[in-house]
């Protein structure tokens, strides 16, 4: 896990002096021209005097804003994280100018900002709205990472660890199908048999310290699929991803961990798919219209504090 030294006093100097409140917040009206500090200390939410609701970094640069999305914020009088769990902006006459969610998640939802500056509405089940991607489908059965480890993830196959790995795999599956849907393609069907072979390759890469499609002995992904008697006689492909984090550790001058920020589960699960979509060969595999079945297998690298992923695809 990459460690970051949190020097908030230095970072704050880039912004004009304003009152500050830590995020997350729930059931509260946002104070105009007030800084709401992200858990990582790297971003702020700001309801500006001109009515725009923005996320800024510690240099004061806007990384997201309603105005930038084309929302007419002129005349905005107040912004609130409402009791029903959604974020909304209102005019002085009470007219709603904008709302994050059409279907409110209910009491208990909170407003926060992820480590990379994404404004989100979160519930106990995870994020339900993202400023970047809109409404998010809730993920069932995903325990928080703290429940799986009580700290950074363990290397052993405890029941909670296995459940967390399975959760990340299915989140990646969902992200892969969102990418295909956006490209006008049909979804990939999940195969548990493919997942077992993909996961075994990820585990082998972790155990023997390599990142490659072929094993040190020269076995290809086709060799591994055939050895497992997988039903895939037609077109096939493999994508791998070498290192993705599940959280950030913050340390002091003595290199002692003072806090851990767990990244949103959906963000963790989406990471390998995002990397594949940014790589032309991997993108072609993922968006190949001839592929109809797949699975993604994940393994945890305890030494690097990262996970590795393998995707197998077939007609």
């Amino acid at each position: 896990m990459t460690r970051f030294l949190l020097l908030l006093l230095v970072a704050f100097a880039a912004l004009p002096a304003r009152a500050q409140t830590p995020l997350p917040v729930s059931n509260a009206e946002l104070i105009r021209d007030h800084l709401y500090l992200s858990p990582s200390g790297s971003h702020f939410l700001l309801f500006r005097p001109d009515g725009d609701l923005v996320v800024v970094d510690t240099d004061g640069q806007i990384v997201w804003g309603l105005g930038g999305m084309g929302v007419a914020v002129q005349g905005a009088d107040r912004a609130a994280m409402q009791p029903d769990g959604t974020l909304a902006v209102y005019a002085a006459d009470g007219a709603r100018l904008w709302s994050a969610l059409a279907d409110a998640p209910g009491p208990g939802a909170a407003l926060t900002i992820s480590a990379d500056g994404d404004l989100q509405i979160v519930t106990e089940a995870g994020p339900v709205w993202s400023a970047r991607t809109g409404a998010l489908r809730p993920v069932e059965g995903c325990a928080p990472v703290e429940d799986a480890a009580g700290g950074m993830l363990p290397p052993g196959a405890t029941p909670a660890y296995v459940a967390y790995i399975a959760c990340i795999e299915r989140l990646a599956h969902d992200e892969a199908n969102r990418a295909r849907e956006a490209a006008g393609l049909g979804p990939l069907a999940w195969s548990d048999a493919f997942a077992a072979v993909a996961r075994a390759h990820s585990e082998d890469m972790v155990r023997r310290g390599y990142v490659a499609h072929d094993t040190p002995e020269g076995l290809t992904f086709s060799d591994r699929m055939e050895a497992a008697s997988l039903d895939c006689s037609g077109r096939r492909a493999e994508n791998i991803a070498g290192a993705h984090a599940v959280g950030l550790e913050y340390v002091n001058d003595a290199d002692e961990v003072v806090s851990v920020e767990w990244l949103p589960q959906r963000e963790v699960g989406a990471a390998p798919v995002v990397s594949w979509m940014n790589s032309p060969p991997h993108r072609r595999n993922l968006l190949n219209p001839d592929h109809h079945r797949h699975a993604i297998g994940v393994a945890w690298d305890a030494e690097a504090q990262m996970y590795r992923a393998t995707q197998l695809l077939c007609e």
Side-chain angles (χ1 to χ4, degrees), residues 129-223:
W129 176 82
S130 159
R132 293 176 184 162
T133 58
L136 299 172
R137 186 157 50 88
V139 179
E140 300 295 336
C142 290
V145 66
E146 295 93 331
D147 292 348
M152 289 300 178
L153 286 173
T158 64
Y161 168 81
V162 172
Y164 186 76
I165 290 299
C167 169
I168 296 303
E169 292 172 349
R170 296 311 286 247
L171 288 170
H173 164 71
D174 288 347
E175 185 68 18
N177 278 334
R178 276 194 291 271
R180 286 178 63 91
E181 182 181 8
L185 299 172
L188 294 166
W190 178 269
S191 165
D192 286 334
F194 286 16
V197 175
R199 193 179 305 117
H201 184 57
S202 295
E203 291 170 349
D204 188 55
M205 288 193 293
V206 169
R207 184 170 56 253
R208 297 201 281 174
Y210 70 96
V211 180
H213 293 282
D214 295 353
T215 69
E217 295 79 20
L219 291 176
T220 68
F221 76 92
S222 289
D223 293 333

Side-chain angles (χ1 to χ4, degrees), residues 212-298:
H213 293 282
D214 295 353
T215 69
E217 295 79 20
L219 291 176
T220 68
F221 76 92
S222 289
D223 293 333
R224 296 191 298 274
M225 293 177 78
E226 291 168 5
S229 300
L230 295 185
D231 178 20
C232 183
S233 59
R235 186 183 297 273
R236 61 184 69 172
E238 178 184 71
N239 287 333
I240 60 173
H244 294 288
V246 299
L248 305 175
E249 284 184 340
Y250 296 93
V251 300
N252 58 22
D253 291 332
D255 202 36
E256 300 168 333
V257 176
V258 294
S259 65
V260 175
E261 178 191 355
W262 300 106
L263 299 178
Q265 286 182 332
R266 187 172 294 276
E267 181 180 320
V268 173
V273 177
V274 171
S275 68
W276 294 331
M277 288 294 290
N278 288 328
S279 165
H282 297 87
R283 181 186 177 94
R284 283 195 296 270
N285 287 340
L286 183 57
L287 300 185
N288 190 324
D290 292 332
H291 290 150
H292 301 288
R293 293 175 291 152
H294 89 133
I296 298 169
V298 167

Side-chain angles (χ1 to χ4, degrees), residues 52-53 64-73 98-100 129-134:
D52 202 359
L53 187 64
W64 175 86
L66 284 180
M69 296 173 55
V71 178
V73 295
W98 173 83
S99 178
W129 176 82
S130 159
R132 293 176 184 162
T133 58

Side-chain angles (χ1 to χ4, degrees), residues 8-191:
L8 298 181
L9 294 178
V10 175
F12 291 168
L15 290 169
R18 293 182 173 98
Q20 298 166 13
T21 299
L23 289 171
V25 297
S26 58
N27 191 18
E29 188 158 321
L30 301 182
I31 302 169
R32 194 183 291 270
D33 208 26
H34 186 96
L35 291 175
Y36 292 87
L37 174 65
S38 70
S40 67
S42 58
H43 294 84
F44 301 91
L45 177 64
L46 177 64
F47 184 35
R48 301 197 315 186
D50 64 2
D52 202 359
L53 187 64
V54 300
V55 174
V56 299
D57 62 21
T58 52
D59 292 324
Q61 298 297 311
I62 296 176
V63 299
W64 175 86
L66 284 180
M69 296 173 55
V71 178
V73 295
Q74 295 81 4
D77 180 68
R78 67 186 185 90
M81 188 60 188
Q82 303 180 128
D84 65 2
T86 193
L87 174 66
V89 176
Y90 295 89
D93 62 2
R96 182 179 293 188
L97 301 178
W98 173 83
S99 178
L101 287 166
D103 298 319
L111 192 63
T112 191
I113 301 174
S114 67
D116 62 352
D118 186 21
L119 183 65
Q120 297 177 342
I121 296 175
V122 297
T123 67
E124 290 184 357
V128 295
W129 176 82
S130 159
R132 293 176 184 162
T133 58
L136 299 172
R137 186 157 50 88
V139 179
E140 300 295 336
C142 290
V145 66
E146 295 93 331
D147 292 348
M152 289 300 178
L153 286 173
T158 64
Y161 168 81
V162 172
Y164 186 76
I165 290 299
C167 169
I168 296 303
E169 292 172 349
R170 296 311 286 247
L171 288 170
H173 164 71
D174 288 347
E175 185 68 18
N177 278 334
R178 276 194 291 271
R180 286 178 63 91
E181 182 181 8
L185 299 172
L188 294 166
W190 178 269
S191 165

